[in-house]
Amino acid sequence: MMMIRRVLLTALFVPAAVWAQTAPTSPPTPAPSPAATPKPATQKVAIDTSEGRIVLELETERAPVTARNFLRYADQKRLDGTWFYRSVKVADKFGFIQFGVDGDPKRILPPIAHEPTTKTGVKHVNGAISTARLAPGTARGEFTISVGDQPSLDADPSRPGDNLGYAAFGKVVEGMDVVWKILDAKTSPTRGDGVMKGQMLEPKIRIVSVRRLP
């Protein structure tokens, strides 16, 4: 999939003012600067794997329910010793990788409410982390990382049926080389059910730990 973006650069030229022969006795009072919009709160988290470190920046303010869910898994060490177990490679450096508790009942926390991208504004851009789900409101402890911009995963009210998309809640800020390495890792030609057949990593990539960063 190829996306073409056009960026319009507008240059504004203001000529120098022509001053009167008699200058004012005092300089004009400058207009007050507009107040800067504060950046929404975020939290960095490190995923240390057998292939290297991935650092995420979670949108704890814009996507509070989904980000808080991931932080519970991290803080309770429920993701330590789990795996990146799935790689969906559609094209070179495009697709997603999946990790999480993989159905382990000892690690699973209760499901969370769905936060669509139309509500949070957090989109499925390159490096986005998102929560896997079945029906809206069933997401638990399975997560994906996008490789390449994937707007088809965002909510789209114009589509029929379940058009709520998936819940992106942050992005990779360090370690995309590790993400690409996992995307390119070997998969089993026979493992996986239905559309997932041929997408299961063999061997899986071990997650050593998931921790908050200062």
Coordinates of all heavy atoms in Angstrom, one line a residue, residues 22-100:
T22 N 10.4 61.6 12.3 CA 10.5 61.7 13.7 C 10.1 60.4 14.4 O 8.9 60.0 14.3 CB 9.6 62.9 14.2 OG1 10.0 64.0 13.5 CG2 9.8 63.0 15.7
A23 N 11.0 59.7 15.0 CA 10.7 58.4 15.6 C 9.9 58.6 16.9 O 10.1 59.6 17.5 CB 12.0 57.6 15.9
P24 N 9.1 57.6 17.3 CA 8.4 57.7 18.5 C 9.4 57.8 19.7 O 10.5 57.2 19.6 CB 7.5 56.5 18.6 CG 8.2 55.6 17.6 CD 8.8 56.4 16.6
T25 N 9.0 58.4 20.8 CA 9.9 58.6 21.9 C 10.1 57.2 22.6 O 11.0 57.1 23.4 CB 9.3 59.6 22.9 OG1 8.0 59.2 23.2 CG2 9.3 61.0 22.2
S26 N 9.1 56.3 22.5 CA 9.3 55.0 23.1 C 8.8 53.9 22.2 O 7.9 54.1 21.4 CB 8.4 54.9 24.4 OG 7.1 55.1 24.1
P27 N 9.4 52.7 22.2 CA 9.0 51.6 21.3 C 7.6 51.2 21.6 O 7.1 51.2 22.7 CB 10.1 50.5 21.6 CG 10.5 50.8 23.0 CD 10.5 52.3 23.2
P28 N 6.9 50.6 20.5 CA 5.6 50.1 20.7 C 5.6 48.9 21.6 O 6.5 48.2 21.7 CB 5.1 49.8 19.3 CG 6.4 49.6 18.6 CD 7.4 50.5 19.1
T29 N 4.5 48.7 22.4 CA 4.4 47.6 23.2 C 4.1 46.3 22.4 O 3.2 46.3 21.6 CB 3.2 47.8 24.2 OG1 3.5 49.0 25.0 CG2 3.1 46.6 25.2
P30 N 5.0 45.3 22.5 CA 4.7 44.1 21.7 C 3.5 43.4 22.1 O 3.1 43.4 23.3 CB 6.0 43.2 22.0 CG 6.5 43.7 23.3 CD 6.2 45.2 23.4
A31 N 2.8 42.7 21.2 CA 1.6 42.0 21.5 C 2.0 40.8 22.3 O 3.1 40.2 22.1 CB 1.0 41.5 20.2
P32 N 1.2 40.4 23.2 CA 1.5 39.2 24.1 C 1.5 37.9 23.2 O 0.8 37.8 22.3 CB 0.4 39.2 25.1 CG -0.8 39.9 24.4 CD -0.1 41.0 23.6
S33 N 2.5 37.1 23.5 CA 2.6 35.8 22.8 C 1.4 34.9 23.2 O 1.0 34.8 24.4 CB 3.9 35.1 23.2 OG 5.0 35.9 22.8
P34 N 0.9 34.1 22.3 CA -0.2 33.2 22.6 C 0.3 32.1 23.6 O 1.4 31.7 23.5 CB -0.6 32.6 21.3 CG 0.5 32.8 20.4 CD 1.2 34.1 20.8
A35 N -0.5 31.7 24.5 CA -0.1 30.7 25.4 C 0.1 29.4 24.7 O -0.7 29.0 23.8 CB -1.2 30.5 26.5
A36 N 1.2 28.7 25.0 CA 1.5 27.4 24.4 C 0.6 26.4 24.9 O 0.2 26.3 26.0 CB 3.0 27.0 24.6
T37 N 0.1 25.5 23.9 CA -0.8 24.4 24.3 C 0.1 23.3 25.0 O 1.0 22.8 24.4 CB -1.5 23.8 23.1 OG1 -2.2 24.9 22.4 CG2 -2.4 22.7 23.5
P38 N -0.2 22.9 26.2 CA 0.6 21.9 26.9 C 0.4 20.6 26.2 O -0.6 20.2 25.6 CB 0.0 21.9 28.3 CG -1.4 22.4 28.1 CD -1.4 23.4 27.0
K39 N 1.5 19.9 26.1 CA 1.5 18.5 25.5 C 0.8 17.6 26.4 O 0.9 17.6 27.6 CB 3.0 18.0 25.3 CG 3.1 16.7 24.7 CD 4.5 16.2 24.7 CE 4.6 14.8 24.1 NZ 6.0 14.2 24.1
P40 N -0.1 16.7 25.8 CA -0.8 15.7 26.6 C 0.2 14.8 27.4 O 1.3 14.5 26.9 CB -1.6 14.9 25.6 CG -1.7 15.8 24.4 CD -0.5 16.7 24.4
A41 N -0.2 14.4 28.5 CA 0.6 13.5 29.4 C 0.9 12.2 28.7 O 0.0 11.6 28.1 CB 0.0 13.3 30.7
T42 N 2.1 11.7 28.9 CA 2.5 10.4 28.3 C 3.4 9.7 29.3 O 3.8 10.3 30.3 CB 3.3 10.6 27.0 OG1 4.5 11.4 27.3 CG2 2.5 11.3 25.9
Q43 N 3.6 8.4 29.1 CA 4.5 7.6 29.9 C 5.3 6.7 29.0 O 4.8 6.0 28.2 CB 3.6 6.7 30.9 CG 4.4 5.7 31.7 CD 5.4 6.3 32.6 OE1 5.0 7.1 33.5 NE2 6.7 6.0 32.5
K44 N 6.6 6.7 29.2 CA 7.5 5.8 28.4 C 7.6 4.5 29.1 O 7.7 4.4 30.4 CB 8.9 6.5 28.2 CG 8.9 7.6 27.2 CD 10.3 8.1 27.0 CE 10.3 9.2 25.9 NZ 11.6 9.7 25.6
V45 N 7.7 3.4 28.3 CA 7.8 2.1 28.8 C 8.8 1.3 27.9 O 8.8 1.5 26.7 CB 6.4 1.3 28.7 CG1 6.6 -0.1 29.1 CG2 5.4 2.0 29.6
A46 N 9.7 0.6 28.5 CA 10.7 -0.2 27.8 C 10.3 -1.7 27.7 O 9.9 -2.3 28.8 CB 12.0 -0.1 28.5
I47 N 10.3 -2.2 26.5 CA 10.1 -3.7 26.3 C 11.5 -4.3 26.0 O 12.0 -4.0 24.9 CB 9.1 -4.0 25.2 CG1 7.7 -3.3 25.4 CG2 8.9 -5.5 25.0 CD1 6.8 -3.5 24.3
D48 N 12.0 -5.0 26.9 CA 13.3 -5.6 26.6 C 13.1 -7.1 26.1 O 12.4 -7.9 26.8 CB 14.2 -5.7 27.9 CG 14.8 -4.3 28.2 OD1 15.4 -3.7 27.3 OD2 14.6 -3.8 29.3
T49 N 13.6 -7.3 24.9 CA 13.4 -8.6 24.3 C 14.7 -9.3 24.0 O 15.8 -8.7 24.2 CB 12.6 -8.5 22.9 OG1 13.6 -8.0 21.9 CG2 11.5 -7.4 23.0
S50 N 14.6 -10.5 23.6 CA 15.8 -11.3 23.2 C 16.5 -10.7 22.0 O 17.7 -11.0 21.7 CB 15.5 -12.7 23.0 OG 14.5 -12.9 22.0
E51 N 15.8 -9.8 21.3 CA 16.4 -9.2 20.1 C 16.8 -7.7 20.3 O 17.3 -7.1 19.4 CB 15.4 -9.2 18.9 CG 15.1 -10.6 18.5 CD 16.3 -11.3 17.8 OE1 17.1 -10.6 17.3 OE2 16.3 -12.6 17.9
G52 N 16.5 -7.2 21.5 CA 16.9 -5.8 21.8 C 15.7 -5.1 22.5 O 14.7 -5.7 22.8
R53 N 15.9 -3.8 22.7 CA 14.9 -3.0 23.5 C 14.0 -2.2 22.5 O 14.5 -1.6 21.5 CB 15.7 -2.0 24.4 CG 14.8 -1.0 25.0 CD 15.5 -0.2 26.1 NE 15.5 -0.9 27.4 CZ 15.7 -0.3 28.6 NH1 16.0 1.0 28.7 NH2 15.7 -1.0 29.7
I54 N 12.7 -2.1 22.9 CA 11.8 -1.3 22.2 C 11.2 -0.3 23.3 O 10.8 -0.8 24.3 CB 10.6 -2.1 21.6 CG1 11.1 -3.1 20.6 CG2 9.6 -1.2 21.0 CD1 10.1 -4.1 20.2
V55 N 11.2 1.0 23.0 CA 10.7 2.0 24.0 C 9.4 2.6 23.4 O 9.4 3.1 22.2 CB 11.7 3.1 24.2 CG1 11.1 4.2 25.2 CG2 13.0 2.5 24.9
L56 N 8.4 2.5 24.2 CA 7.1 3.0 23.8 C 6.8 4.3 24.5 O 7.2 4.5 25.7 CB 6.0 2.0 24.1 CG 6.1 0.6 23.6 CD1 5.0 -0.3 24.3 CD2 5.9 0.6 22.1
E57 N 6.0 5.2 23.9 CA 5.5 6.4 24.6 C 4.0 6.3 24.6 O 3.3 6.3 23.5 CB 5.9 7.7 23.9 CG 5.5 8.9 24.7 CD 6.1 10.2 24.0 OE1 5.7 10.5 22.9 OE2 7.0 10.8 24.6
L58 N 3.4 6.0 25.7 CA 1.9 5.8 25.9 C 1.2 7.1 26.1 O 1.6 7.9 26.9 CB 1.7 4.8 27.0 CG 2.4 3.5 27.0 CD1 1.9 2.6 28.1 CD2 2.4 2.8 25.7
E59 N 0.0 7.2 25.4 CA -0.8 8.4 25.5 C -1.8 8.2 26.7 O -2.9 7.9 26.6 CB -1.6 8.6 24.2 CG -0.7 8.9 23.0 CD -0.2 10.3 23.0 OE1 -0.6 11.1 23.9 OE2 0.6 10.6 22.1
T60 N -1.2 8.5 27.9 CA -2.0 8.3 29.1 C -3.1 9.3 29.3 O -4.1 9.0 30.1 CB -1.1 8.3 30.4 OG1 -0.3 9.5 30.3 CG2 -0.1 7.1 30.3
E61 N -3.0 10.4 28.6 CA -4.1 11.4 28.7 C -5.1 11.3 27.6 O -6.3 11.3 27.8 CB -3.5 12.8 28.7 CG -4.5 13.9 28.9 CD -3.9 15.3 29.0 OE1 -2.7 15.4 29.4 OE2 -4.5 16.3 28.6
R62 N -4.6 11.1 26.4 CA -5.6 11.0 25.2 C -6.3 9.6 25.2 O -7.4 9.6 24.7 CB -4.8 11.3 23.9 CG -4.3 12.7 23.8 CD -4.1 13.1 22.4 NE -3.0 12.4 21.8 CZ -2.7 12.3 20.5 NH1 -3.5 12.9 19.6 NH2 -1.6 11.7 20.0
A63 N -5.6 8.6 25.6 CA -6.2 7.2 25.6 C -6.0 6.6 26.9 O -5.4 5.6 27.1 CB -5.6 6.4 24.5
P64 N -6.7 7.2 28.0 CA -6.4 6.7 29.3 C -6.8 5.3 29.7 O -6.1 4.6 30.4 CB -7.2 7.7 30.2 CG -8.3 8.2 29.3 CD -7.7 8.2 27.9
V65 N -7.9 4.8 29.2 CA -8.3 3.5 29.5 C -7.4 2.4 28.9 O -6.9 1.5 29.6 CB -9.8 3.2 29.0 CG1 -10.2 1.8 29.2 CG2 -10.8 4.2 29.7
T66 N -7.0 2.6 27.7 CA -6.2 1.6 27.0 C -4.7 1.7 27.5 O -4.1 0.6 27.7 CB -6.2 1.8 25.5 OG1 -7.6 2.1 25.1 CG2 -5.8 0.6 24.7
A67 N -4.2 2.9 27.7 CA -2.9 3.0 28.2 C -2.8 2.5 29.6 O -1.8 1.8 30.0 CB -2.4 4.5 28.2
R68 N -3.8 2.8 30.4 CA -3.8 2.3 31.8 C -3.8 0.8 31.9 O -3.2 0.1 32.7 CB -4.9 2.9 32.6 CG -4.9 2.6 34.1 CD -5.9 3.4 34.9 NE -7.3 3.3 34.4 CZ -7.9 4.3 33.8 NH1 -7.4 5.5 33.6 NH2 -9.2 4.1 33.4
N69 N -4.5 0.2 31.0 CA -4.6 -1.3 30.9 C -3.2 -1.9 30.6 O -2.8 -2.8 31.3 CB -5.6 -1.7 29.8 CG -5.6 -3.2 29.6 OD1 -6.0 -4.0 30.5 ND2 -5.2 -3.7 28.4
F70 N -2.5 -1.3 29.7 CA -1.1 -1.8 29.3 C -0.2 -1.6 30.6 O 0.6 -2.5 30.9 CB -0.6 -1.1 28.1 CG 0.8 -1.6 27.7 CD1 0.8 -2.7 26.8 CD2 2.0 -1.0 28.1 CE1 2.1 -3.2 26.4 CE2 3.2 -1.5 27.7 CZ 3.2 -2.6 26.8
L71 N -0.3 -0.5 31.2 CA 0.5 -0.2 32.4 C 0.2 -1.2 33.5 O 1.2 -1.6 34.3 CB 0.4 1.2 32.9 CG 1.0 2.3 31.9 CD1 0.6 3.7 32.4 CD2 2.5 2.1 31.9
R72 N -1.0 -1.6 33.7 CA -1.3 -2.6 34.7 C -0.6 -3.9 34.4 O 0.0 -4.6 35.3 CB -2.8 -2.9 34.8 CG -3.6 -1.8 35.6 CD -4.9 -2.4 36.0 NE -5.8 -2.7 34.9 CZ -6.7 -1.8 34.4 NH1 -6.8 -0.6 34.9 NH2 -7.4 -2.2 33.3
Y73 N -0.6 -4.3 33.1 CA 0.1 -5.6 32.7 C 1.6 -5.4 33.0 O 2.3 -6.3 33.4 CB -0.1 -5.9 31.3 CG -1.4 -6.6 31.0 CD1 -2.6 -5.9 30.7 CD2 -1.5 -8.0 31.1 CE1 -3.8 -6.6 30.5 CE2 -2.7 -8.7 30.9 CZ -3.8 -8.0 30.6 OH -5.0 -8.7 30.4
A74 N 2.2 -4.2 32.7 CA 3.6 -4.0 32.9 C 3.9 -3.9 34.4 O 4.9 -4.6 34.9 CB 4.0 -2.7 32.2
D75 N 3.2 -3.1 35.2 CA 3.5 -3.0 36.6 C 3.3 -4.3 37.4 O 4.0 -4.5 38.4 CB 2.5 -1.9 37.2 CG 2.8 -0.5 36.6 OD1 3.9 -0.3 36.0 OD2 1.9 0.4 36.8
Q76 N 2.4 -5.1 37.0 CA 2.2 -6.4 37.6 C 3.1 -7.5 37.0 O 2.9 -8.7 37.4 CB 0.7 -6.8 37.6 CG -0.2 -5.8 38.3 CD -1.7 -6.2 38.2 OE1 -2.1 -7.4 38.0 NE2 -2.6 -5.2 38.3
K77 N 3.9 -7.1 36.1 CA 4.9 -8.1 35.5 C 4.2 -9.2 34.8 O 4.8 -10.3 34.6 CB 5.9 -8.6 36.6 CG 6.7 -7.4 37.3 CD 7.7 -8.0 38.3 CE 8.4 -6.8 39.0 NZ 9.4 -7.3 40.0
R78 N 3.0 -9.0 34.3 CA 2.3 -10.0 33.6 C 2.8 -10.3 32.2 O 2.5 -11.3 31.6 CB 0.8 -9.7 33.6 CG 0.1 -9.7 34.9 CD -1.3 -9.3 34.9 NE -1.9 -9.3 36.2 CZ -2.7 -10.3 36.7 NH1 -2.9 -11.4 35.9 NH2 -3.2 -10.3 37.9
L79 N 3.6 -9.3 31.7 CA 4.2 -9.5 30.3 C 5.6 -10.0 30.4 O 6.2 -10.4 29.3 CB 4.1 -8.2 29.6 CG 2.7 -7.6 29.2 CD1 2.8 -6.3 28.6 CD2 2.0 -8.6 28.3
D80 N 6.2 -10.1 31.6 CA 7.6 -10.7 31.7 C 7.5 -12.1 31.3 O 6.7 -12.9 31.9 CB 8.1 -10.5 33.1 CG 8.4 -9.0 33.5 OD1 8.0 -8.2 32.7 OD2 9.0 -8.8 34.5
G81 N 8.4 -12.6 30.5 CA 8.4 -14.0 30.1 C 7.4 -14.4 29.0 O 7.3 -15.5 28.7
T82 N 6.7 -13.4 28.4 CA 5.8 -13.7 27.3 C 6.6 -13.5 26.0 O 7.8 -13.5 26.0 CB 4.6 -12.7 27.4 OG1 5.0 -11.4 27.2 CG2 3.8 -12.9 28.6
W83 N 5.8 -13.5 24.9 CA 6.5 -13.6 23.6 C 5.9 -12.6 22.6 O 4.7 -12.3 22.6 CB 6.4 -15.0 23.1 CG 6.7 -16.1 24.0 CD1 5.9 -16.7 24.9 CD2 8.0 -16.7 24.2 NE1 6.6 -17.6 25.7 CE2 7.9 -17.6 25.2 CE3 9.3 -16.5 23.5 CZ2 9.0 -18.4 25.6 CZ3 10.3 -17.3 23.9 CH2 10.2 -18.3 24.9
F84 N 6.7 -12.2 21.6 CA 6.2 -11.8 20.3 C 6.0 -13.1 19.6 O 6.9 -13.9 19.4 CB 7.2 -10.9 19.6 CG 7.2 -9.5 20.0 CD1 8.1 -9.0 21.0 CD2 6.4 -8.6 19.4 CE1 8.1 -7.7 21.4 CE2 6.3 -7.2 19.8 CZ 7.2 -6.8 20.8
Y85 N 4.7 -13.4 19.2 CA 4.4 -14.7 18.6 C 3.8 -14.6 17.2 O 3.6 -15.6 16.6 CB 3.5 -15.4 19.5 CG 2.2 -14.7 19.9 CD1 1.1 -14.7 19.0 CD2 2.0 -14.0 21.1 CE1 -0.1 -14.0 19.3 CE2 0.9 -13.4 21.4 CZ -0.2 -13.4 20.5 OH -1.3 -12.7 20.7
R86 N 3.6 -13.4 16.7 CA 2.9 -13.3 15.4 C 3.5 -12.2 14.6 O 3.8 -11.1 15.1 CB 1.4 -13.1 15.6 CG 0.6 -13.1 14.3 CD -0.8 -12.8 14.6 NE -1.6 -12.7 13.4 CZ -2.8 -12.1 13.3 NH1 -3.3 -11.5 14.4 NH2 -3.5 -12.1 12.2
S87 N 3.8 -12.4 13.3 CA 4.3 -11.4 12.4 C 3.4 -11.4 11.1 O 3.3 -12.5 10.4 CB 5.7 -11.6 12.0 OG 6.1 -10.8 10.9
V88 N 2.8 -10.3 10.8 CA 1.9 -10.2 9.6 C 2.6 -9.2 8.7 O 2.6 -8.0 8.9 CB 0.5 -9.7 9.9 CG1 -0.3 -9.6 8.7 CG2 -0.1 -10.6 10.9
K89 N 3.3 -9.8 7.7 CA 4.1 -8.9 6.8 C 3.4 -8.9 5.4 O 3.3 -9.9 4.7 CB 5.5 -9.5 6.6 CG 6.5 -8.6 5.8 CD 7.9 -9.2 5.8 CE 8.8 -8.3 5.1 NZ 10.2 -8.9 5.0
V90 N 2.9 -7.7 5.1 CA 2.1 -7.5 3.9 C 3.1 -7.1 2.7 O 2.9 -7.6 1.6 CB 1.1 -6.4 4.0 CG1 0.3 -6.2 2.7 CG2 0.1 -6.8 5.2
A91 N 4.1 -6.3 3.0 CA 5.1 -5.9 2.1 C 6.4 -5.6 2.8 O 6.4 -5.7 4.1 CB 4.6 -4.7 1.3
D92 N 7.4 -5.2 2.1 CA 8.7 -4.9 2.8 C 8.5 -3.8 3.8 O 8.0 -2.7 3.4 CB 9.7 -4.5 1.7 CG 11.1 -4.3 2.4 OD1 11.5 -5.1 3.2 OD2 11.7 -3.3 2.0
K93 N 8.8 -4.0 5.0 CA 8.7 -3.0 6.1 C 7.2 -2.5 6.2 O 7.0 -1.3 6.4 CB 9.7 -1.9 5.9 CG 11.1 -2.3 5.9 CD 11.5 -2.8 7.3 CE 12.9 -3.2 7.4 NZ 13.2 -4.6 6.9
F94 N 6.2 -3.4 6.0 CA 4.8 -3.0 6.2 C 4.1 -4.2 6.8 O 4.2 -5.3 6.2 CB 4.2 -2.5 4.9 CG 2.8 -2.0 5.1 CD1 2.7 -0.6 5.3 CD2 1.7 -2.8 5.0 CE1 1.4 -0.1 5.5 CE2 0.5 -2.3 5.1 CZ 0.3 -1.0 5.4
G95 N 3.3 -3.9 7.8 CA 2.5 -5.0 8.4 C 2.4 -4.7 9.9 O 2.3 -3.6 10.3
F96 N 2.4 -5.8 10.7 CA 2.4 -5.6 12.2 C 2.9 -6.8 12.9 O 3.0 -7.9 12.3 CB 1.0 -5.2 12.7 CG 0.0 -6.3 12.6 CD1 -0.2 -7.3 13.6 CD2 -0.9 -6.3 11.5 CE1 -1.1 -8.3 13.5 CE2 -1.9 -7.3 11.4 CZ -2.0 -8.3 12.4
I97 N 3.4 -6.6 14.1 CA 3.8 -7.7 15.0 C 2.9 -7.7 16.2 O 2.3 -6.7 16.6 CB 5.3 -7.6 15.3 CG1 5.6 -6.3 16.1 CG2 6.1 -7.8 14.1 CD1 7.0 -6.2 16.5
Q98 N 2.7 -8.9 16.8 CA 1.8 -9.1 17.9 C 2.5 -9.8 19.1 O 3.3 -10.7 18.9 CB 0.5 -9.9 17.5 CG -0.5 -10.0 18.5 CD -1.9 -10.5 18.0 OE1 -2.1 -10.5 16.8 NE2 -2.8 -10.9 18.8
F99 N 2.1 -9.3 20.3 CA 2.7 -9.9 21.5 C 1.6 -9.9 22.6 O 0.6 -9.2 22.4 CB 4.0 -9.2 21.9 CG 3.8 -7.8 22.5 CD1 3.7 -7.6 23.8 CD2 3.6 -6.8 21.6 CE1 3.5 -6.3 24.3 CE2 3.5 -5.5 22.1 CZ 3.4 -5.2 23.4
G100 N 1.9 -10.6 23.7 CA 1.0 -10.5 24.8 C 0.9 -11.8 25.6 O 1.8 -12.7 25.5

